[in-house]
Each structure stands twice: as C-alpha cells, then as structure tokens.
Amino acid sequence: MDEAGTEGQIPAPASIVPDSDSVPVLSKRARKKQAKQQRLEARKAERKKAEKDRRRQGVERRRQEWEEKLASATEEERERLIGERRETRRERVERRAEDRELRAERLKRAAELGIKVVLDLEFADLMKPNELHSLVQQIMYCYAVNGRCASPAHLWLTGCQGEIDTSLQRIPGYDKWIIEKENRSYIEVFQEHKENIVYLTADSETILEEIDPKKIYIIGGLVDRNRWKGITMNKANDQGINSAKLPIGNYLKMSSSQVLTVNQVFEILLKFMETRDWKEAFFQVIPQRKMGDLEAQDQTDVAYYDETLSTSIARRSENEGEKDVEQAGSISKKPRLVDVQSGGAITVDGGGPKD
C-alpha cells in the first residue's frame, strides 16, 4: 500500500498489538487450568481471612469476658483472679521453656542417631517468587514437625545460597535452628558417601520398601506447579546416584498424580520411622482430598484416617496457645505448627505450596 493509502490511519496502540515473540498463546486446557488455579487461590485467601477474623473475634471475646468478670468481682476476688492468671501465664512460659529444652536435646541427639534427610535447595532459580515463598514455608514446617517428633531425623539444608538463603534468613530465629545448613551441593557434602545417597522422586522405578539408617535421603526442594517434570530423576541419573519412590501405589490410588509437598514427604518418612507401617504413614499425612480409590480399605478405615496427623497437631496446638505463631511469622496453611525459635516428598517434581 502506498503512502497515500496509509495517510490518516491511526496505528493501533502498542499495548494491544500482540507480539508473537513475547505473548504466549495458551491452549484451552491451559486456560482452564489457569482459571482453576486462580479460583483456588481466591478461595484460599478467603479462608485465610475468615480464619484470621475468627481468631481476632475470639481474642476480643475473651478480653471482654475477662473485663466483665473483673468488673463484677469484689476487690478481694479481683486480686485473686489476677494472681491466678499471672500464675497460669508463668507456668505456661516455664512449660514452653522446658519443651524447647527437650526439643533441642532430641534434635542434637538426632545428629548422631537420626536418619539423614536432606532438602535439596538447588532449584531456587527455577521458581517464581510465590513458589519460593511456599518452599520456605514448607521448610519451616519440616523443621517444626521434626522438633516435635520423638525420634527426629538429622535434617540438612544444602544449596543454601542466593535468593533461597536470603528468604530463609528472614525467618525469625532461623539462626538458632538446630539443623545442618550448607551452601554447597549435597554431592560435595557427601562425596565420600555417594553410594549411600538416595534421591527420592516419584519418577524412579525403584520402590522404597524400607528406610536404611545408613542411607542419605534427598528430597528435592522444588515448588513448580509441574513445569519441570522429571527434573529430580534426571538430576539423580546425571550424578550417578540411586533413586527411589515412596510405595504409595501399593496402598492407595491418588486422585491425581503422586506429587506431594516437601513437608508431606518428610512427615511420611518420620511417621514410617515411628510406626514401621507405610499404610498408616500415608493415611495420617496425605490429605483425604488427594486420595482416589483406596486399596484394601473399607469405610471404617477411611473415617478413621480422615483425621490426618496435621489436623490432630493443629487442634492440640490451638489448645496450647498461639505464641509460637507470633515468633515464627505467618504460615498460610498450618500457622500454629511452627516454633522456629526452638524447633520446622516423594518430592517429586513440584507439588503445591501447601496442603
């Protein structure tokens, strides 16, 4: 077209002109998946706000009840009530201090007697900011759960450098964690024990039947919404190390994939070491909504296992108070479970941020 033909035409704004090189075209399936994820995130935010409001209302209600109780009491009764309350708080503080000491002793003992479990943090550069945030939360939960366990694991963090290290350093009390922290790769850290390294990944053909205390079990620290399929298996193959997957298929059929979060895999390992029963470990840790057809389980079993380990802990923690949460900061899914001051699959390529 000549200049005369184009004269007077208004070019389309650059913001609405599609650039095939920079604007990816999503398939219908991808758009549906994206919309579903957005709905899930919106519902999660609503539940989080509702729970926060419920806790705030509970605090306000208890405060009002206390003030009304004092207002209606005599001077003598008021002094007695205030004294009892101070004594209760003092006992609670002492009990928490004692719990922290016992937890610290268990974690120190785990360095000699516990199974070695390593969270591989070398995938941080592959994750988006919100995914990295989810991983940090999962690490916090792993540490808290390990601290409460009667026989904790010897927990390691390897590849602690760059953005993931910066994010971990922001956790209140992180510098006091009784845990092994390495900026090096686990291959460098355990180079003299390479034959004992086992990378846990759902893509492995080897089923983990038993946990060997001599082995070093690696959990990939990756929250990627399944963008990097097979990455942990490829890494294990490239490094020439053993791999294995949890025997989930022997006991239940997942409703979707066998992708679990980092903290779920870690909890399963701890629970198996406690019970020596894979079935019980799976049913106490994996949320019911992730389970499809249950293998060899009747409805009685389903009803029993529907109250998962995390639910039981959350209820117990709510009765014990919320001070640990104030110290640890906000954890969006299981906020009452973390005491970072004292305390904190297979992964299997990716997984949601929290379950």
Side-chain angles (χ1 to χ4, degrees):
M1 185 177 292
D2 57 20
E3 291 186 25
T6 59
E7 186 178 3
Q9 290 185 354
I10 300 175
S15 60
I16 63 174
V17 177
D19 184 351
S20 58
D21 294 332
S22 60
V23 181
V25 179
L26 297 178
S27 64
K28 183 177 180 180
R29 182 178 181 181
R31 290 197 300 272
K32 285 184 176 180
K33 187 175 182 181
Q34 185 181 63
K36 181 180 179 181
Q37 182 64 32
Q38 290 173 348
R39 290 194 299 272
L40 290 174
E41 293 295 335
R43 285 199 293 269
K44 185 187 299 182
E46 291 175 0
R47 290 196 301 268
K48 184 177 180 181
K49 182 179 182 301
E51 176 63 18
K52 186 176 181 180
D53 291 341
R54 186 191 67 80
R55 290 199 301 269
R56 185 185 298 112
Q57 291 170 4
V59 171
E60 180 62 22
R61 175 179 53 80
R62 290 190 294 272
R63 185 186 64 80
Q64 291 179 357
E65 291 175 351
W66 170 252
E67 291 180 351
E68 292 173 0
K69 191 173 184 179
L70 288 181
S72 61
T74 63
E75 184 66 27
E76 183 179 348
E77 290 175 338
R78 188 179 297 112
E79 292 181 0
R80 178 180 60 81
L81 290 172
I82 294 176
E84 290 176 352
R85 192 176 195 185
R86 287 175 177 170
E87 179 63 20
T88 299
R89 287 179 174 176
R90 185 186 63 78
E91 291 176 353
R92 185 185 300 127
V93 170
E94 291 178 351
R95 185 166 59 250
R96 283 176 175 162
E98 183 179 352
D99 289 343
R100 283 195 292 269
E101 291 178 2
L102 294 175
R103 188 177 298 136
E105 291 177 5
R106 290 197 300 270
L107 291 173
K108 291 176 181 178
R109 188 168 60 250
E112 301 178 2
L113 306 175
I115 60 168
K116 286 184 175 63
V117 180
V118 179
L119 305 187
D120 174 18
L121 307 182
E122 294 183 88
F123 300 109
D125 59 335
L126 302 179
M127 288 182 280
K128 300 175 182 179
N130 64 317
E131 294 169 342
L132 196 65
H133 176 69
S134 294
L135 176 60
V136 170
Q137 292 182 326
Q138 292 177 28
I139 294 171
M140 292 169 68
Y141 187 66
C142 287
Y143 183 68
V145 168
N146 199 42
R148 286 191 301 272
C149 184
S151 299
H154 186 190
L155 188 58
W156 292 66
L157 300 179
T158 62
C160 289
Q161 53 183 329
E163 184 58 34
I164 185 64
D165 183 54
T166 301
S167 299
L168 289 170
Q169 294 291 346
R170 296 193 187 105
I171 301 174
Y174 175 71
D175 58 325
K176 298 179 182 178
W177 281 18
I178 304 175
I179 193 174
E180 305 290 349
K181 308 166 189 174
E182 283 280 353
N183 59 2
R184 297 178 296 166
S185 166
Y186 58 86
I187 282 291
E188 297 179 70
V189 175
F190 301 107
Q191 56 182 334
E192 297 181 359
H193 306 281
K194 186 177 179 180
E195 69 280 1
N196 288 328
I197 297 177
V198 179
Y199 211 116
L200 301 179
T201 169
D203 296 310
S204 177
E205 296 182 358
T206 302
I207 296 177
L208 187 68
E209 300 288 355
E210 186 60 58
I211 294 180
D212 186 346
K214 296 180 181 179
K215 300 295 185 181
I216 303 164
Y217 296 98
I218 313 295
I219 299 176
L222 178 62
V223 178
D224 68 342
R225 304 299 191 275
N226 294 323
R227 292 194 312 277
W228 303 95
K229 294 183 181 295
I231 191 170
T232 51
M233 186 71 245
N234 293 336
K235 184 175 185 178
N237 289 336
D238 292 343
Q239 294 177 336
I241 60 177
N242 296 320
S243 65
K245 63 181 177 182
L246 294 174
I248 297 177
N250 294 350
Y251 301 94
L252 57 90
K253 182 179 179 180
M254 302 289 279
S255 59
S256 54
S257 67
Q258 294 187 14
V259 175
L260 303 176
T261 60
V262 172
N263 58 280
Q264 286 172 346
V265 174
F266 183 68
E267 283 185 77
I268 288 171
L269 296 179
L270 291 179
K271 181 56 64 175
F272 176 76
M273 291 300 295
E274 176 187 335
T275 64
R276 315 306 299 188
D277 186 328
W278 283 117
K279 181 181 74 173
E280 182 160 349
F282 293 142
F283 276 91
Q284 289 203 34
V285 176
I286 299 176
Q288 182 68 48
R289 66 180 180 278
K290 281 193 172 185
M291 301 181 187
D293 299 328
L294 305 181
E295 303 292 341
Q297 294 294 325
D298 59 22
Q299 293 302 313
T300 302
D301 292 329
V302 175
Y304 171 77
Y305 286 113
D306 190 37
E307 182 173 345
T308 62
L309 174 64
S310 57
T311 302
S312 300
I313 294 174
R315 289 177 178 174
R316 182 176 69 246
S317 183
E318 184 171 2
N319 294 332
E320 293 175 351
E322 301 179 358
K323 184 175 181 180
D324 292 344
V325 182
E326 297 172 359
Q327 293 176 339
S330 174
I331 297 183
S332 57
K333 177 57 183 176
K334 298 172 181 174
R336 296 191 178 90
L337 300 183
V338 176
D339 179 357
V340 299
Q341 299 287 356
S342 57
I346 288 165
T347 183
V348 282
D349 309 327
K354 296 162 285 293
D355 276 276

